[in-house]
Amino acid sequence: MRYRRTRAGVLSALLAATLAATMVPAQAQAEPAGATAQAEPNQVQDLAVVQGDGYATLSWTPVDGATDYQIERTPVAEDGTATGTAVITGVWRPNRQINNSEPTFADAGFAPGNRFQWRVRARVGTEAQPYSTPVAGLTNAHWGDPDTPGQNLRTQWENTLGAQYTSDVNEYAYTQAVDELSERVRVVEIGRTIQNRPINMFVVGYPTPPATPEAVAATNPLLVNCNVHGNEPGDREACLIMARQLAFTDDAKTLDLLSKTTMLILPTLNGDGRAAGARGNSTGQDLNRDYSLIRQPETRAFVEMVRDYRPIAGYDGHEYGNANTGDLPMLPPRHQNVAQGIFDESQNMIEGHMYSQGAKDGWWACPYGCTGANVGLGEETILRNTLGLKNVVNSLLELRSSGGPTRPDESNTANNRRRKTYSALWTFNQFLQYHGANTKAITTARAEAITFQSTNTGRIVFRGSRPIEAHPAPHPGETPPPLDAPTPERILQQPPCAYKLTEEQYNGERTDGPVGQRTTVAQRLAAHGWKVIKVADGYLVPLAQPERGLVPLLLDGQAVEGLVAGERVMPTRTGTHNGPLTLTGVNCIDGATLRGPLRVQPGATLIMTGTSVNGPIDVTGAAGVFLGGNTVNGPVRVVGTTGPVNVVGNKVSGPVDVLNTQGAAALVAGNTVNGPLGCSGNATTPVNLEVANSVSGPKFNQCSRL
């Protein structure tokens, strides 16, 4: 559903913003303010200034023995005369970046479009050395030509130069105007807040965005979540600006990136909290502690969006109150149930891209918790961990909410707000660049994670984080974030093959949500996209699913923040079986060797992982079938299943057929099939979650694109 207003109403609401927009200057090269004089001892040399969106990157040749550097900024007229007071706007320290031999500083906080002069001086200990020769330049105005429709849109925050944050009414008008004026954008309403505010999402592609969530998912989309804590709005303002840039830019490289993927920008998940200036939603719930439990309508809308649009990478925007930390603290999904490849690629995005690009452009990216604060742990309820458990490469982004020692001028509220928003805009644009350059690595990590999780292999950790090392050296920060290593009672060495829920547990009324909008366990599991098998005396939730690492964290009685204490269903067959095997009832086979054909009778359930089968598998009319990480020497035939079907990561010597299934779309993904793959007559076309099957024979009918 799209949030629609009349075109006249939208343009009327934005008329003042359009008229107030200032002329965008041509980008100016920074020029020396005076003739170069003979260098004094320890004087900074080769100062250069390059303008970006809302910031200026200063670079210079380092001075031997310097402890740090002070950056001075002075407003000046076109003739170079000062129009205001010079201030120390920044301090560069060696722990800011990974390449100390090429110091850079992103000066920010100024009102865009004004002219300034910069100087830099070294300090040895506390003793200041001579300033560099000054360099002056005109900063970039707000992005977009004021004479070009679309580009001339401005947010309330931009028009007030950061004095006011964009209201919900202005956001909706701006969002709708971008939608109406750009063919690249579709605005989708993914849900409503408790107080009935729309939760809108920009879907951006070139030349137009794909028409359906399934089509978007096929483009390996990326996602930015901009405002979950209502009193942390800096990222939200950056997202609104970025949406305009993507919607109306003529930059060939950006258009090329958008032609190959889809950008999902969710500016305000917590509209009620934003309107109230509160961290939580209207019930006081911290939504960033609810992404696994999804007790609130806002988080449910978000999780359903992830289920349907399937982003492969994401950023989650926040603000952080520690003034002594970096400009841009970041952190990957640390929960130990996150697949290794997802964790590694998330770290590569941060350390391999953001650290190095930050060093070039002057931003101080560091691990969240780089001052040793007790933050950034392994709670699965937090979005970065929930997304990691959903096989999404992602990172938390914190905007340091006050200037601190390295940005002493930012006791000025407007300066501080501008620095936060433009540093976020830099990060989200770099995220798009990273995604474009690393899509293959991201999709490979995701495919391996989905396949691995579907085999139900390895222990389950109920709560515990992976370590974050203080590297690379010299690392950008002082200390790594703390480690909350799992204690023995939070580790399950032998996981079950499924959890069994009673009717009351599954469909019973809940009290852990807002009155009038409470949801059952059944509805929440459906929002996560998990498959459930109906059996005679309850419901089975197999672990052999792509989000296996998250399932026990909600359904096990040992979970730290679970939904319900389900019954563990352990494997019913392991070891070796010689000869034919016919199955009835509920069957969990794990790590077994079956030497002979396997037949599953009508109404039975088969959950089989890590098993070798020397013979055909024939399933007819089953209640549900989950095959993960098996080796089958023979054909696999699944016909007429009334419940869910998952066939993931198997090696099959023979044809595979999935026919006439009646439940949700069968998942057929990541299999190696030495023979044909055929699907027909299924009530819903099978899917592969963009994890292709390797098939030596033809792929038929409904499986032709898998």
Side-chain angles (χ1 to χ4, degrees):
M1 182 186 302
R2 300 175 70 171
Y3 179 77
R4 283 290 181 193
R5 296 176 61 186
T6 65
R7 182 183 181 90
V10 169
L11 297 181
S12 175
L14 285 170
L15 182 59
T18 302
L19 294 176
T22 56
M23 181 67 70
V24 179
Q27 179 158 343
Q29 288 291 104
E31 67 267 9
T36 302
Q38 181 68 34
E40 299 181 57
N42 291 334
Q43 183 181 27
V44 167
Q45 299 295 306
D46 305 318
L47 175 63
V49 183
V50 177
Q51 302 300 329
D53 282 331
Y55 70 96
T57 298
L58 282 70
S59 61
W60 60 90
T61 299
V63 173
D64 290 342
T67 304
D68 60 21
Y69 300 84
Q70 292 179 314
I71 292 89
E72 179 197 73
R73 183 179 70 223
T74 307
V76 295
E78 192 169 355
D79 64 2
T81 59
T83 59
T85 304
V87 296
I88 301 297
T89 187
V91 176
W92 187 95
R93 295 174 174 173
N95 63 347
R96 286 187 60 89
Q97 63 191 63
I98 58 175
N99 181 0
N100 295 164
S101 65
E102 298 178 14
T104 58
F105 189 89
D107 185 33
F110 49 77
N114 291 336
R115 182 180 293 275
F116 298 96
Q117 171 189 284
W118 290 270
R119 298 192 300 174
V120 176
R121 67 182 178 189
R123 290 194 297 186
V124 178
T126 59
E127 184 177 349
Q129 306 300 308
Y131 272 115
S132 67
T133 299
V135 173
L138 185 67
T139 62
N140 292 342
H142 297 302
W143 188 92
D145 184 345
D147 294 326
T148 301
Q151 289 193 18
N152 62 6
L153 299 172
R154 298 291 184 267
T155 65
Q156 182 178 351
W157 183 89
E158 289 176 287
N159 280 327
T160 62
L161 298 178
Q164 298 174 11
Y165 286 116
T166 302
S167 70
D168 54 355
V169 173
N170 188 263
E171 176 193 327
Y172 305 145
Y174 176 91
T175 298
Q176 187 58 21
V178 172
D179 186 0
E180 289 189 350
L181 294 171
S182 176
E183 292 298 319
R184 301 174 200 166
V185 175
R186 182 173 68 256
V187 174
V188 176
E189 182 182 312
I190 67 168
R192 291 261 166 166
T193 68
I194 291 175
Q195 295 180 346
N196 204 37
R197 287 182 170 86
I199 304 171
N200 292 327
M201 181 173 72
F202 294 100
V203 183
V204 189
Y206 182 78
T208 60
T212 65
E214 186 72 25
V216 170
T219 69
N220 297 314
L222 65 166
L223 166 70
V224 179
N225 187 40
C226 312
N227 186 222
V228 64
H229 292 147
N231 60 351
E232 300 175 3
D235 301 276
R236 171 178 176 258
E237 301 296 346
C239 286
L240 293 172
I241 296 170
M242 185 180 190
R244 180 174 85 244
Q245 290 177 329
L246 297 181
F248 303 109
T249 185
D250 295 323
D251 179 69
K253 183 176 181 180
T254 301
L255 296 181
D256 180 62
L257 291 172
L258 290 176
S259 72
K260 298 172 182 175
T261 188
T262 307
M263 186 85 177
L264 307 175
I265 302 175
L266 208 166
T268 315
L269 180 65
N270 185 10
D272 297 348
R274 173 78 290 276
R279 179 180 175 89
N281 70 352
S282 60
T283 71
Q285 172 66 54
D286 183 340
L287 297 179
N288 202 34
R289 300 299 185 274
D290 195 51
Y291 286 108
S292 62
L293 298 165
I294 50 177
R295 297 162 292 192
Q296 305 293 318
E298 296 94 341
T299 44
R300 182 183 178 191
F302 184 93
V303 169
E304 288 176 338
M305 179 274 295
V306 172
R307 176 197 66 194
D308 295 341
Y309 286 83
R310 300 197 291 272
I312 65 169
Y315 253 88
D316 182 34
H318 295 265
E319 296 183 22
Y320 180 43
N322 190 324
N324 292 309
T325 191
D327 302 323
L328 299 168
M330 302 181 189
L331 202 65
R334 296 182 68 193
H335 196 288
Q336 289 198 11
N337 289 355
V338 173
Q340 185 68 46
I342 296 295
F343 173 80
D344 289 344
E345 190 55 37
S346 299
Q347 275 290 75
N348 178 58
M349 179 171 68
I350 297 168
E351 294 188 349
H353 185 91
M354 295 299 180
Y355 284 10
S356 59
Q357 292 302 315
K360 291 179 181 179
D361 292 340
W363 296 107
W364 180 7
C366 73
Y368 184 42
C370 60
T371 57
N374 190 33
V375 294
L377 305 179
E379 302 99 313
E380 68 280 358
T381 55
I382 293 174
L383 183 57
R384 63 182 167 80
N385 287 318
T386 303
L387 284 180
L389 292 163
K390 289 179 172 289
N391 308 306
V392 179
V393 169
N394 82 99
S395 175
L396 171 83
L397 171 67
E398 296 280 351
L399 310 177
R400 184 176 60 194
S401 59
S402 57
T406 68
R407 294 186 179 273
D409 183 45
E410 290 183 20
S411 58
N412 179 298
T413 299
N415 286 356
N416 187 46
R417 288 177 174 179
R418 289 190 287 259
R419 185 263 307 164
K420 288 189 297 184
T421 287
Y422 285 114
S423 66
L425 181 62
W426 176 88
T427 304
F428 299 149
N429 276 297
Q430 285 299 323
F431 175 44
L432 177 60
Q433 300 297 321
Y434 157 81
H435 178 279
N438 295 275
T439 302
K440 183 176 181 180
I442 302 169
T443 56
T444 297
R446 178 177 175 273
E448 291 174 350
I450 288 173
T451 302
F452 169 77
Q453 299 283 19
S454 297
T455 66
N456 192 19
T457 300
R459 70 182 190 175
I460 291 293
V461 173
F462 292 111
R463 178 64 62 78
S465 65
R466 295 175 182 270
I468 301 294
E469 301 296 334
H471 69 274
H475 61 276
E478 302 296 343
T479 59
L483 174 67
D484 57 334
T487 53
E489 67 272 14
R490 292 184 174 177
I491 299 174
L492 181 61
Q493 295 291 353
Q494 298 297 326
C497 75
Y499 287 95
K500 185 177 180 181
L501 306 181
T502 66
E503 179 69 32
E504 176 61 24
Q505 288 175 317
Y506 190 62
N507 284 315
E509 183 178 356
R510 304 278 301 188
T511 60
D512 58 342
V515 175
Q517 300 192 53
R518 291 169 178 164
T519 52
T520 64
V521 168
Q523 291 171 308
R524 298 184 203 187
L525 300 191
H528 279 297
W530 300 348
K531 293 183 176 178
V532 180
I533 304 171
K534 179 68 177 77
V535 293
D537 55 349
Y539 301 84
L540 288 180
V541 185
L543 266 71
Q545 304 201 49
E547 297 178 13
R548 173 257 194 184
L550 187 55
V551 172
L553 308 187
L554 295 181
L555 303 184
D556 198 284
Q558 205 171 328
V560 178
E561 295 184 71
L563 277 178
V564 64
E567 175 190 348
R568 294 175 183 171
V569 179
M570 303 306 292
T572 57
R573 186 180 296 274
T574 58
T576 300
H577 178 86
N578 295 313
L581 185 61
T582 300
L583 302 177
T584 60
V586 175
N587 303 270
C588 290
I589 303 175
D590 179 60
T593 299
L594 308 182
R595 295 172 177 162
L598 175 63
R599 181 180 297 274
V600 180
Q601 295 287 74
T605 294
L606 174 61
I607 304 169
M608 186 167 71
T609 54
T611 291
S612 173
V613 182
N614 188 14
I617 297 177
D618 189 359
V619 181
T620 303
V625 177
F626 285 71
L627 303 177
N630 304 290
T631 300
V632 183
N633 185 19
V636 174
R637 183 176 175 84
V638 179
V639 182
T641 302
T642 58
V645 174
N646 272 25
V647 182
V648 182
N650 302 282
K651 296 180 179 179
V652 182
S653 297
V656 174
D657 293 297
V658 179
L659 312 171
N660 303 321
T661 60
Q662 302 306 305
L667 175 59
V668 182
N671 300 288
T672 300
V673 180
N674 186 14
L677 173 62
C679 304
S680 63
N682 300 288
T684 307
T685 301
V687 298
N688 68 356
L689 303 183
E690 293 72 58
V691 180
N693 299 279
S694 176
V695 181
S696 64
K699 292 185 281 188
F700 293 112
N701 301 325
Q702 291 175 314
C703 281
S704 60
R705 296 184 178 180
L706 303 186

